[in-house]
Amino acid sequence: FVEFEIINLGGNNTFVVPNLAAVQAQDSVYTDHALTINGAAGSKVDLDLATWSVSGTTVVGATTYNIYHNIAATDVASDLWVAQSLSVI
């Protein structure tokens, strides 16, 4: 993937976030986070929970997102917004 900001997993899919650099976009239109991940129940986001942790929540429209912050990030521009309908493993 190159220069993407929203991923919709649909149902029963898994998205792996290998490291912080994989989500850092050079020309992102967002300044408050790097990537939004949506999907239906049954889909999963695979994060290294030793380096990513929930720092809060936000609501956009009817969707509530958990905000994941990486301990190596210097600001929120690299945060992930993961829809609460998704499992994080």
Side-chain angles (χ1 to χ4, degrees), residues 18-83:
N19 55 46
L20 178 62
V23 300
Q24 290 177 317
Q26 296 298 320
D27 297 320
S28 177
V29 297
Y30 299 126
T31 58
D32 56 356
H33 69 291
L35 181 63
T36 301
I37 306 174
N38 294 309
S43 284
K44 300 173 184 144
V45 178
D46 187 348
L47 293 174
D48 178 358
L49 294 176
T51 58
W52 293 92
S53 62
V54 175
S55 63
T57 61
T58 191
V59 177
V60 178
T63 305
T64 300
Y65 295 91
N66 287 327
I67 301 170
Y68 283 85
H69 184 77
N70 188 289
I71 60 171
T74 57
D75 59 28
V76 298
S78 298
D79 285 359
L80 302 177
W81 290 7
V82 179

Side-chain angles (χ1 to χ4, degrees), residues 1-24:
F1 295 107
V2 176
E3 295 183 14
F4 61 96
E5 293 153 341
I6 299 174
I7 294 177
N8 189 345
L9 295 177
N12 298 313
N13 294 299
T14 300
F15 179 72
V16 178
V17 179
N19 55 46
L20 178 62
V23 300
Q24 290 177 317

